[in-house]
Amino acid sequence: MKKIVIYGLGPVAELAKFYFDNDSNFEVVAFTVEKAYKDKNIYLGLPVVEFETIEECYPTNQALLFIAVSYSEMNKLRERKYLEGKAKGYNFVNYISSKSTIWTKDIGENNFILEDNTIQPYVKIGNNNILWSGNHIGHHGSIGDNNFISSHVVISGMVHIKNNCFLGVNATLRNNIT
């Protein structure tokens, strides 16, 4: 099993651990946050290490990283942490629910795709996105980087979502728009 360190100590990090533990071939071995936000040494039974020195405990050749931060600052906080992890040399893992229907292989890294998503053929998904449960992503569309798509969103065919967008519950986007 490949080892993962999850960035974050909030509800999204807790959910990420649950999903990785119950529906993946990865092993969560620790959590990480900056020293200024580290208020505990153990979270959900695992060690919490300082992000500034994460490489000392979990070198880049021994662990993957997953940024589990919600849509704070229109996804800019998650984007910053992802880029900081890249600068440290980490590779990232996706969580893609086995309970989703995925008809594309063109998916970047550090994506959190929960259950009951339908992603049709020829869709391109960038890096560092969260697709909550129950969405429909139509054919020949694209989702850029650092987006948050909440539950039950319908994105029709040939729709292009740029970077750092938030789509709320039950939003519907008609076809052929950007």
Side-chain angles (χ1 to χ4, degrees), residues 19-177:
Y19 283 110
F20 280 119
D21 285 350
N22 291 285
D23 187 32
S24 82
N25 293 318
F26 298 101
E27 177 188 7
V28 179
V29 295
F31 290 89
T32 186
V33 291
E34 280 77 9
K35 183 177 183 177
Y37 299 104
K38 184 180 173 213
D39 61 353
K40 56 188 81 149
N41 292 320
I42 301 289
Y43 182 63
L44 302 174
L46 295 175
V48 178
V49 298
E50 295 172 6
F51 188 64
E52 293 88 344
T53 58
I54 185 177
E55 309 92 320
E56 294 172 14
C57 298
Y58 300 97
T60 60
N61 65 344
Q62 294 179 15
L64 301 165
L65 195 57
F66 185 78
I67 308 299
V69 175
S70 192
Y71 51 83
S72 298
E73 304 171 30
M74 272 312 267
N75 304 301
K76 292 287 189 183
L77 177 60
R78 191 172 68 255
E79 178 184 19
R80 277 195 310 272
K81 298 306 158 193
Y82 169 75
L83 293 173
E84 289 172 15
K86 292 289 282 181
K88 287 178 173 284
Y90 280 94
N91 290 315
F92 291 81
V93 63
N94 286 324
Y95 170 76
I96 301 174
S97 175
S98 66
K99 296 174 179 15
S100 284
T101 303
I102 311 293
W103 288 102
T104 187
K105 292 183 177 163
D106 198 350
I107 299 175
E109 61 184 13
N110 203 70
N111 289 293
F112 197 35
I113 302 175
L114 301 185
E115 65 275 358
D116 299 324
N117 276 280
T118 296
I119 300 174
Q120 291 190 319
Y122 310 110
V123 170
K124 295 178 182 176
I125 298 175
N127 300 316
N128 202 33
N129 295 290
I130 295 177
L131 281 71
W132 220 256
S133 56
N135 299 305
H136 171 89
I137 313 299
H139 62 93
H140 295 93
S142 63
I143 297 172
D145 298 332
N146 316 307
N147 294 293
F148 189 101
I149 299 173
S150 59
S151 296
H152 302 284
V153 172
V154 175
I155 300 173
S156 297
M158 297 172 281
V159 169
H160 302 284
I161 308 296
K162 292 198 174 185
N163 299 335
N164 298 90
C165 295
F166 176 90
L167 299 176
V169 173
N170 290 327
T172 300
L173 301 178
R174 71 173 210 55
N175 61 312
N176 292 308
I177 62 172

